[in-house]
Structures are given as structure tokens and as C-alpha cells.
Amino acid sequence: MGNSKEKEKAWGGVFTETTDKRVELFTESISFDKRLYEQDIRGSIGHARMLCDVGLLAQEEFERIEKELLEIKSEIERDQFEYSTSLEDIHMHIERALIERIGDTGRKLHTARSRNDQISTDLRLWVRDSTDLLDFSLRDLQAAFIGRCDKDMDVVLPGYTHTQRAQPVLAPHYWLAYCEKFKRDRQRLADCRKRVNILSLGAAACAGTSLPIDRQKTAEYLAFDEIAANSLDISSDRDFVLEFAFCLAQIALHLSNWAEEWILWSTVEFNFLKLPQPFCTGSSIMPQKVNPDVLELIRGKTARSIGNLQTLLVLTKGLPLAYNRDLQEDKEPVFDSFDSVKACLELAAPLVAQTILNREAIASKLDRGYLDATSLMEYLIKKGVPQRTAHGIVGRLVRFAIEKNVPLAHLPLKTMKEACEMIDYSVYEVLGAENAVKAMQSYGSTAPDQVQKQVNLWKMNLKFE
Ligand code: ARG
């Protein structure tokens, strides 16, 4: 059909005229879906194996198809495969290459299949692989935080609310806080994976097939846990792509929270951290600058993940059943979110491991901001003072200490007693950031024994995963 140099279209039969070049360029997806080559070939081999089981392919035919598909795969990996926009997408490229090599046997591969269930399968395999890769990266990042905990156990940091000094916390309590966030991200990915791991093949274009296929077998060969129960639904379903994009956006948000915090902490004003130089860059004009560009880009790239999620939500809004070509637009956003989040995670782990805490600078300013005021209030509550009254007493003592420009621990007992008769010498055991941290009791609090318990749990869980 058409121009002899042009590849004949797989769908060309009904057409009497060739495709406009502009249309080819506009509709192609090979430029970005070529990264699905491995999943496409894996899916095709699983499909062909099933076709052989049910007698739609002879054993030798299946073997030729499998051998040739694996050869095509290796050519793609060796960069010896030729792409052409006239072949639209990765499915057509691989099928065409197969037909060119093994003729009619290759022409049988697309039996009982459409590109609609094929792309859905490829994308499910890709998202499944990608959730597994992300899970490893998240685990590595958690391990980097946990790896710091023992050596940072002696460091007390200010905890902030409203970015104002609030209560003292152990540095490892901060590290565990991030680990918890990434734990939820991993749980979310695992949950998303359940809805990803469903077989679409067999839906064909949208109505199923009259050929005697065995979807259970295909599911087994491709390690899908379930078989989609409605062909119309599954060929249009992109919920799993949206869910995955949300998981990625949430990871990016968590990374941005952490990056923002560490950017602040590395400023002269905070001076809590020294970032590793190999993870910083300089300024072309200010010779003294060592900038936290990696952290800033981790924070900045969050915009993509949020934007990509938005794109996918809008893309699928209002689409009627079943496959619509709009769905081709789902790939670039989800690929972009994955690539950027994966890259961020891979830089975050070594950055976390190699950053140094400025212990002296942190300790020298720890008595600023009355981090122990809540401990003093709880001391009074333990002595029987009602909470609201205790709050007022401590508020007045803090006001007095601010006037004198001293920490609470430096107020004489006489002053304390004037504020509340019940205060005695034991008060000095709860004042000061370190005492305040130790006084914590509740499960999940920052008390050293509580934190140590959590660190041990984390170590064990990460080891046995
Ligand atoms: N490139 C298409 C996509 O990504 C593959 C499915 C095309 N199906 C079709 N009937 N045109 O969605």
C-alpha cells in the first residue's frame, strides 16, 4: 500500500489512501512508548504460549515466535533496531519485525488480541515493575536514615510547630519521622500494585473474543493475580495509572518536605547541618557559596509529579467506554513522574547518609526558645495543678525569664515558688532540653528509650524484608 519506502500499516486493508505525514507525526507514540519494549515482548510471549496451549498456535510456531521475539529484544538492547514513525507504536514495531522475519507464523501472534488490551497489559507490567523498583529505592532511603540513628542518639534538636521552636526532640526521632512517611508510601505502592496486577489480555478490542482462549493461563504466564472480569471496563481502565501517579506525587511531597527542612537547617541562621560537598554546587559569581542545589531540585521536581497527576486526572475525565486514543497521552506524564521521583530517591539516600550534624552549634543554642516550657507545665500537672492553671503559671514564668534573658533552668527556686508554691528542687530535673526529652513517657514519643525501641524495630524490619 502507498509509497514503497513506507511500512505497510497493520490496519491498512480498508484504506485506499495513504496516511498524511503530518498525521503520522501527530499520532505516533513510538518516540516515548519504545521504553515498553521489554514488557511488550514479555506480554506477547505469555500470550503466544497461551495460544499454543489452546491450539491456536502449533508448538513449533510458538517456539519460533518466542525465539524471534527474544532476538528482537536483544537487538533493541544492542541499539540495532530500526524505528520508524510510520509504524506508530511499540506494538506495531515489534510485530512488524516478527512478520518480516518469520512471515505467516508472525502474522498469527495478534490472534485474539487488540492493541487496546495489549497496551493496557504492557503498561500494567511496567507499573508493576516500577512499583517494585520504587519500593527498593524507598527502602534504601529508610536504611540511610536508620543508619544514622545510633551515632546521632546523643543529639537533641528543637522540634518546631509553625516553624517556631516548640519542644526538644532527639535527632533520631526526626529520622524515624521521615521513615514513617516513606513506610506509608511503600504501603500505598503495595496497595496500588494489587489493582495493577490484573490481566487485561483477552478483552481484545472491547468485547472479548470468540476464539477459545484461556485467560487463566495467560495470567499465570505473566504472573497476574487476577483476571479482569469485564472487557469494556478493563480496556478503558487507567485507574491504576492515576493511582500510581498519586503514589509518586505523595513520595515527591514527602521528599519536598524533607528537602525544605534540610535546606533551612543548612543555612547560617540554623547551622544544624553540613551537607556533603559532592551533593552541593557553587555560584558563578559569589566565590564563598556552597548551595544545596540537589535539595532544591528535589523540592522543585515535586511540581512535575503534581502536574503529571493533574494531567492524568483531566485526561481521563469524561471519557466514554472503552478505549479512546486520548489514553495514549497517559504515558509521558507517568514516565516523567517515575523518572523524576526515582532519581530524587537515589540522590536522597547518599545525601542523608553523608550529611554531618553540627553538634556544637545545635547544643549551643538549644536553651533558646523555652523548649522545656511544656515539661514544666506537665511537672505541675503531675503535682495536681489543673492543666489550664499550670499553663498560666508557666506562661508567666517564661515571660519573667524572657525579661531576664535567661533559660527557665536558670530561674532561682524562690522565683519559681512565688509563681507556684508546689514547685520544689525536683523541678530542675525536668528543665533543660535533655531532661525534657528524657521525661517523655508516651508511646511514640521522643524519649530515648522510646526512640531506641523504634530504631530496633526498624532495624529488624528492614533486615528481614
Ligand atoms: N499507542 C496506543 C496507546 O498508547 C496503543 C493502542 C492503540 N490502539 C488503537 N486502537 N489505536 O494507547
Side-chain angles (χ1 to χ4, degrees):
M1 179 190 96
N3 181 334
S4 61
K5 273 198 274 165
E6 217 176 76
K7 305 272 188 186
E8 184 191 319
K9 308 267 187 245
W11 38 257
V14 76
F15 285 76
T16 53
E17 293 181 69
T18 53
T19 316
D20 190 298
K21 276 278 161 231
R22 289 166 298 189
V23 171
E24 274 186 4
L25 279 176
F26 185 68
T27 55
E28 69 85 24
S29 56
I30 188 62
S31 55
F32 51 86
D33 67 16
K34 61 177 163 201
R35 77 185 276 173
L36 295 175
Y37 78 91
E38 194 279 329
Q39 289 79 11
D40 195 73
I41 288 173
R42 206 185 330 157
S44 285
I45 293 175
H47 177 67
R49 198 184 293 271
M50 177 280 292
L51 291 179
C52 176
D53 288 341
V54 300
L56 286 166
L57 277 181
Q59 182 66 28
E60 319 78 71
E61 288 176 320
F62 163 66
E63 281 166 18
R64 283 195 79 191
I65 288 176
E66 180 181 42
K67 182 167 165 287
E68 219 44 57
L69 284 173
L70 292 174
E71 174 54 29
I72 292 170
K73 180 173 155 210
S74 113
E75 279 173 28
I76 293 175
E77 282 163 0
R78 280 181 278 129
D79 226 359
Q80 286 169 352
F81 190 80
E82 203 194 310
Y83 297 101
S84 148
T85 44
S86 64
L87 284 177
E88 264 184 64
D89 55 28
I90 189 64
H91 325 300
M92 300 283 216
H93 274 79
I94 291 171
E95 190 189 347
R96 168 55 55 95
L98 188 71
I99 293 171
E100 271 169 11
R101 290 153 202 230
I102 61 172
D104 274 350
T105 305
R107 288 195 177 86
K108 293 188 178 179
L109 174 63
H110 212 50
T111 304
R113 186 176 78 171
S114 141
R115 278 186 298 158
N116 300 349
D117 54 349
Q118 188 178 0
I119 185 59
S120 162
T121 306
D122 291 6
L123 204 48
R124 282 172 188 277
L125 291 174
W126 181 84
V127 174
R128 188 174 81 186
D129 295 346
S130 302
T131 57
D132 297 343
L133 290 173
L134 280 171
D135 190 63
F136 287 129
S137 302
L138 284 163
R139 188 201 169 279
D140 284 349
L141 180 53
Q142 289 176 321
F145 277 115
I146 298 302
R148 300 194 58 103
C149 285
D150 287 342
K151 71 170 189 285
D152 294 340
M153 209 46 131
D154 59 329
V155 181
V156 178
L157 284 163
Y160 293 84
T161 63
H162 313 266
T163 328
Q164 301 288 331
R165 287 191 166 213
Q167 289 183 286
V169 293
L170 287 185
H173 201 51
Y174 264 106
W175 311 159
L176 294 178
Y178 301 124
C179 286
E180 292 290 335
K181 294 187 191 299
F182 297 126
K183 175 175 160 181
R184 288 195 296 278
D185 290 335
R186 294 180 67 187
Q187 289 170 340
R188 236 184 309 276
L189 282 171
D191 199 56
C192 165
R193 198 184 190 284
K194 291 183 205 155
R195 282 171 293 280
V196 170
N197 210 20
I198 295 171
L199 178 79
S200 337
L201 279 175
C206 71
T209 174
S210 60
L211 295 164
I213 59 169
D214 183 343
R215 298 186 69 205
Q216 191 59 52
K217 284 254 188 270
T218 319
E220 256 167 55
Y221 295 146
L222 297 175
F224 283 112
D225 293 329
E226 274 179 56
I227 302 172
N230 184 296
S231 60
L232 269 181
D233 166 52
I234 203 69
S235 48
S236 69
D237 171 35
R238 292 295 181 275
D239 300 4
F240 71 100
V241 180
L242 270 72
E243 256 189 275
F244 183 54
F246 173 75
C247 293
L248 287 163
Q250 181 65 79
I251 298 169
L253 287 175
H254 285 152
L255 285 170
S256 82
N257 301 139
W258 159 74
E260 165 70 5
E261 198 148 80
W262 279 30
I263 290 167
L264 280 176
W265 286 9
S266 67
T267 58
V268 171
E269 285 72 14
F270 275 82
N271 196 24
F272 289 177
L273 299 176
K274 189 166 156 23
L275 298 172
Q277 280 208 357
F279 290 84
C280 295
T281 55
S283 155
S284 58
I285 177 166
M286 296 165 284
Q288 86 284 11
K289 294 298 290 291
V290 178
N291 292 328
D293 297 43
V294 171
L295 288 172
E296 290 171 296
L297 280 170
I298 289 176
R299 184 177 60 184
K301 282 177 189 290
T302 310
R304 290 170 182 255
S305 302
I306 298 169
N308 288 332
L309 174 60
Q310 173 81 349
T311 300
L312 289 165
L313 288 162
V314 179
L315 175 69
T316 47
K317 178 202 169 288
L319 285 182
L321 288 171
Y323 178 82
N324 294 280
R325 191 63 177 267
D326 314 45
L327 294 177
Q328 180 167 295
E329 290 286 309
D330 61 356
K331 287 170 210 63
E332 285 167 293
V334 73
F335 290 164
D336 182 65
S337 287
F338 171 74
D339 291 342
S340 108
V341 168
K342 184 85 172 41
C344 291
L345 288 170
E346 271 160 21
L347 280 167
L351 203 151
V352 164
Q354 293 172 38
T355 291
I356 292 167
L357 280 178
N358 294 336
R359 297 174 134 71
E360 284 89 56
I362 293 166
S364 71
K365 288 190 268 174
L366 204 59
D367 62 5
R368 297 193 193 164
Y370 302 96
L371 294 165
D372 48 0
T374 312
S375 328
L376 177 54
M377 181 188 75
E378 291 183 346
Y379 167 88
L380 293 177
I381 293 171
K382 282 186 204 154
K383 295 222 173 254
V385 181
Q387 192 270 342
R388 283 283 161 240
T389 314
H391 189 286
I393 294 167
V394 176
R396 285 190 289 281
L397 281 171
V398 168
R399 186 149 39 89
F400 186 72
I402 291 171
E403 275 163 24
K404 299 272 171 239
N405 194 23
V406 290
L408 285 172
H410 290 187
L411 291 179
L413 187 61
K414 186 168 163 290
T415 311
M416 301 255 206
K417 275 205 172 293
E418 274 163 24
C420 176
E421 218 359 80
M422 283 165 164
I423 302 181
D424 58 42
Y425 252 111
S426 62
V427 74
Y428 295 106
E429 284 160 28
V430 299
L431 291 179
E434 297 215 352
N435 286 333
V437 161
K438 282 199 199 102
M440 295 299 177
Q441 292 283 327
S442 55
Y443 176 82
S445 76
T446 194
D449 56 337
Q450 290 289 338
V451 174
Q452 191 61 58
K453 249 187 236 162
Q454 294 294 328
V455 171
N456 295 345
L457 272 175
W458 271 103
K459 281 189 188 163
M460 206 167 67
N461 290 340
L462 288 183
K463 191 152 99 202
F464 290 115
E465 261 178 38

